[in-house]
Amino acid sequence: MSFIKDFWYGKPHTAEEGGRRLGDNYLPKTGLYKHREWRGVKDTFYYFHNIWLYNYLHMVMDVMKYGGIINFVKGVWRYRWVGQTYLPVLHWFDRGLEGLRGEALRASAWHYRAMVNATIYQFMSMFNADTRLHGGKKNDAWYHTMAMKETTWGGMFYGWSDKFKAVSLEMIPYFVTCHVNSHTVHNYIDAVQSIGLPGDPCPMCQAESGLFVLDDIPDYSPFMITCNEACDGSVATAILQDWFNDKPLYALQMPMQFDDPLANKFVQKDIEKCWKFIEEQTGVPMNFDLMCECIERQNELQKFEWEKWEVAAKTSSYPINGVAQALYRIYQSQFGDLPIWHEVDAKVRPIMEKCVSKKINTFPKTRHRVIAWSCAPLYYSNWCTWAYNAWGLNVIINMDSLMFDMTLRTDSYENMLEDVATYHMWAPMRRMAVGGMHHIFELWDYKERFNCDFVMMYDQLQCKGMQGVHGLFEDEFRDRNVPAIWMPHALPDSRTVSRAEIRRIINDYMSTVMHEEPLDPSLLELDDDMTW
């Protein structure tokens, strides 16, 4: 009878209940599955049809919709980061959704679907316009695509969205790739160091620059917009990009005087100068009505995000796991409005409403409600899935998810511009990482707001800003008697601190400090250094 029950419903979570051993699913020394995870009849068939098969089918459909197979094949042949991330993308799903059941599996998977669609939209927009894929010719798409640095909010260009596409320079070749494949950016980091850059600046900036050193970035726009967010390392990146690209460039500014009203005025004027630069380059003025229309659509996304936060904060019925919540939120709020965000929110809303109305405990083995603070390891964004399965650590919210906690006014040009400047200044890694002590210590307010009892403190080893406040956080953790794990990492570079080392740190803390037993001992030690 036990076998039949396990077959029909899937094995229970914990070892004490004779439950699943997820670590036994891996091939030795790879971190790859030797067989699929059995989640019970209903969830296994859902995963196969509505996640695995559905997403592979729609990946092909998205490629066809946004530019066609020929452009895609050319891009795969020319740019190494495409094949390295497009082919293992369903393994990315597997890692992030491992162990999930029921409504949590469904809602989290929809967020992944949105990110895949947005990614294909962006790289196909690059390929359609790329002179390197079209014999050096500058086609109509090249003249109607705008390139900006990934830390520049895509909504800055809403006023031209009826005639031009705005596509980030590095969001796909760098940011998305190292989430999917932990090895993708290593060669870019090595490349920029090979021309003389020291190894101690932020590895994000090194990887972004290395893309240009290796000529592994499409030429898809007649000009580019850069930004100094979040630090001086980004300034150096922009200098190298300007050197390699050799095309008209405007550098948006972010002042260090974060909360000064005069600083906001300065940013407003700088944004208007940027808009003037775009008008000069394109011959098309910014459309204020279109800008407001797109902002209102983005405000709708933010309103639903607040609803999700309310459920996450006040109930145990929030159906989105930590990695899906964080990546979707960062991607959506930073890139700007796209139809897929609205489509996915419409899919997720009834799932969440069902969980709330029926009081479904979506993560029933939660021992600690965790808030994750500072900048996360991009090569191990699914650590929180592992931590829940292994120890019952449920990541409720992440710092980067909270960066844009605002709506933007559209009732007048002046109010719109002021809010756009504020949004621009609240970019990821800016407000709560280098935006001053008041914002860095917003941790405590959000910890209370989301009813968290545990802090995962990211320790980006090459971030000079956050390294400077390490001791202050230590003092606060002791004074407040808050359990907190420091997670060292090097943002995209998995060679500095491995995923196995991160797991060992969490294992040691949970066993020696918290005196707790693992839910699934098979997950404590596994060798995934060589896998994606």
Side-chain angles (χ1 to χ4, degrees):
M1 291 299 293
S2 176
F3 170 79
I4 295 174
K5 184 179 180 181
D6 289 347
F7 173 79
W8 192 257
Y9 296 106
K11 286 190 174 183
H13 190 144
T14 60
E16 291 83 355
E17 300 170 305
R20 66 198 189 197
R21 290 177 53 86
L22 294 176
D24 293 344
N25 291 344
Y26 298 123
L27 289 167
K29 299 185 180 299
T30 66
L32 298 174
Y33 286 125
K34 58 186 176 184
H35 61 75
R36 311 299 302 177
E37 178 186 351
W38 186 257
R39 305 169 191 255
V41 173
K42 183 177 180 180
D43 286 341
T44 299
F45 275 82
Y46 182 90
Y47 199 99
F48 178 77
H49 290 99
N50 296 80
I51 298 177
W52 192 87
L53 191 61
Y54 179 92
N55 278 282
Y56 265 132
L57 174 64
H58 278 78
M59 285 164 64
V60 176
M61 292 172 62
D62 289 343
V63 165
M64 297 296 294
K65 177 180 179 181
Y66 297 132
I69 292 293
I70 293 176
N71 279 332
F72 172 70
V73 171
K74 286 181 178 180
V76 173
W77 189 258
R78 175 61 175 78
Y79 302 108
R80 62 183 294 164
W81 46 265
V82 189
Q84 288 182 328
T85 52
Y86 192 87
L87 297 178
V89 72
L90 263 294
H91 183 66
W92 180 50
F93 277 64
D94 290 341
R95 289 194 310 245
L97 305 176
E98 186 175 42
L100 292 189
R101 302 286 190 269
E103 305 312 311
L105 174 66
R106 290 152 179 74
S108 300
W110 278 116
H111 288 75
Y112 273 75
R113 160 63 190 148
M115 292 185 285
V116 170
N117 174 271
T119 296
I120 295 174
Y121 168 80
Q122 289 180 82
F123 72 60
M124 289 305 297
S125 296
M126 288 178 169
F127 295 164
N128 293 341
D130 187 9
T131 60
R132 294 175 178 130
L133 302 184
H134 297 91
K137 296 179 181 178
K138 299 173 181 178
N139 58 18
D140 185 67
W142 188 86
Y143 287 104
H144 287 85
T145 307
M146 295 186 284
M148 73 283 191
K149 190 166 171 52
E150 66 173 329
T151 50
T152 305
W153 171 47
M156 198 80 71
F157 314 103
Y158 282 158
W160 288 270
S161 59
D162 59 338
K163 296 181 175 67
F164 297 84
K165 292 180 178 180
V167 181
S168 169
L169 280 162
E170 315 97 344
M171 183 176 280
I172 307 307
Y174 156 72
F175 177 77
V176 172
T177 57
C178 48
H179 287 289
V180 179
N181 185 336
S182 65
H183 304 286
T184 308
V185 303
H186 294 168
N187 57 306
Y188 304 127
I189 294 172
D190 295 342
V192 77
Q193 291 182 17
S194 74
I195 65 169
L197 185 75
D200 64 322
C202 174
M204 177 187 94
C205 303
Q206 295 185 59
E208 290 174 341
S209 302
L211 284 162
F212 290 83
V213 174
L214 292 182
D215 193 29
D216 211 22
I217 195 96
D219 172 26
Y220 61 93
S221 175
F223 61 91
M224 58 189 291
I225 312 293
T226 63
C227 173
N228 67 322
E229 197 273 313
C231 64
D232 291 344
S234 293
V235 177
T237 303
I239 293 170
L240 287 170
Q241 290 172 344
D242 190 18
W243 178 26
F244 281 104
N245 258 357
D246 191 26
K247 61 178 61 177
L249 178 147
Y250 190 88
L252 276 165
Q253 304 300 310
M254 279 194 181
M256 292 303 293
Q257 286 291 97
F258 192 83
D259 291 316
D260 190 334
L262 292 178
N264 188 281
K265 291 288 186 183
F266 169 81
V267 173
Q268 290 181 46
K269 291 180 181 179
D270 195 45
I271 290 172
E272 289 186 309
K273 290 178 183 177
C274 179
W275 288 345
K276 182 67 175 176
F277 169 81
I278 296 173
E279 290 179 11
E280 292 170 352
Q281 296 299 316
T282 63
V284 178
M286 195 270 282
N287 185 331
F288 171 72
D289 291 335
L290 179 61
M291 182 85 180
C292 293
E293 179 184 326
C294 295
I295 286 175
E296 287 297 339
R297 287 203 298 268
Q298 179 163 328
N299 285 340
E300 289 301 313
L301 297 172
Q302 180 61 48
K303 289 176 184 176
F304 183 54
E305 193 68 21
W306 282 333
E307 290 182 42
K308 290 157 69 177
W309 293 359
E310 190 79 359
V311 172
K314 295 183 178 180
T315 75
S316 58
S317 301
Y318 187 55
I320 306 155
N321 74 343
V323 60
Q325 188 278 329
L327 292 182
Y328 177 80
R329 171 63 179 164
I330 296 167
Y331 208 155
Q332 172 231 80
S333 57
Q334 183 66 19
F335 179 80
D337 187 60
L338 269 181
I340 190 63
W341 312 134
H342 299 274
E343 294 171 19
V344 163
D345 281 359
K347 297 281 190 181
V348 171
R349 180 184 291 277
I351 297 174
M352 187 172 75
E353 290 176 349
K354 174 185 175 182
C355 293
V356 172
S357 64
K358 295 189 175 183
K359 297 183 178 180
I360 298 172
N361 188 349
T362 47
F363 295 93
K365 296 302 178 181
T366 298
R367 288 175 174 172
H368 300 283
R369 293 171 58 90
V370 181
I371 181 169
W373 205 252
S374 194
C375 304
L378 306 186
Y379 61 89
Y380 198 20
S381 53
N382 62 295
W383 73 266
C384 46
T385 307
W386 170 87
Y388 173 73
N389 288 328
W391 291 101
L393 295 171
N394 185 8
V395 178
I396 305 298
I397 200 73
N398 292 262
M399 183 194 78
D400 284 342
S401 306
L402 301 162
M403 286 290 184
F404 301 115
D405 193 359
M406 63 178 292
T407 54
L408 294 90
R409 292 169 293 173
T410 58
D411 55 325
S412 69
Y413 176 83
E414 293 73 21
N415 287 340
M416 180 273 293
L417 181 59
E418 180 180 354
D419 286 357
V420 167
T422 301
Y423 197 99
H424 174 61
M425 295 168 71
W426 282 13
M429 303 180 295
R430 183 63 174 186
R431 175 176 146 207
M432 298 169 187
V434 292
M437 292 305 301
H438 167 69
H439 295 293
I440 290 172
F441 276 178
E442 284 184 60
L443 165 63
W444 313 117
D445 295 332
Y446 281 112
K447 175 181 172 296
E448 295 301 319
R449 175 177 170 183
F450 285 92
N451 294 296
C452 295
D453 66 311
F454 203 106
V455 176
M456 187 63 67
M457 193 71 195
Y458 296 130
D459 189 15
Q460 211 281 75
L461 299 176
Q462 288 161 270
C463 179
K464 309 304 187 290
M466 289 306 290
Q467 286 294 310
V469 296
H470 190 123
L472 296 175
F473 271 107
E474 287 279 20
D475 291 342
E476 291 290 328
F477 292 140
R478 281 192 292 267
D479 292 344
R480 297 169 185 265
N481 194 28
V482 173
I485 300 177
W486 285 90
M487 182 190 292
H489 66 90
L491 213 57
D493 193 344
S494 59
R495 298 170 298 186
T496 305
V497 181
S498 69
R499 291 179 289 201
E501 177 67 8
I502 288 173
R503 290 192 293 270
R504 186 192 63 77
I505 290 169
I506 296 174
N507 291 340
D508 288 350
Y509 189 94
M510 295 307 296
S511 59
T512 62
V513 178
M514 302 303 293
H515 303 292
E516 296 182 5
E517 295 293 326
L519 296 175
D520 186 346
S522 70
L523 289 171
L524 298 189
E525 295 185 17
L526 56 105
D527 185 354
D528 61 349
D529 187 54
M530 297 303 295
T531 191
W532 297 312

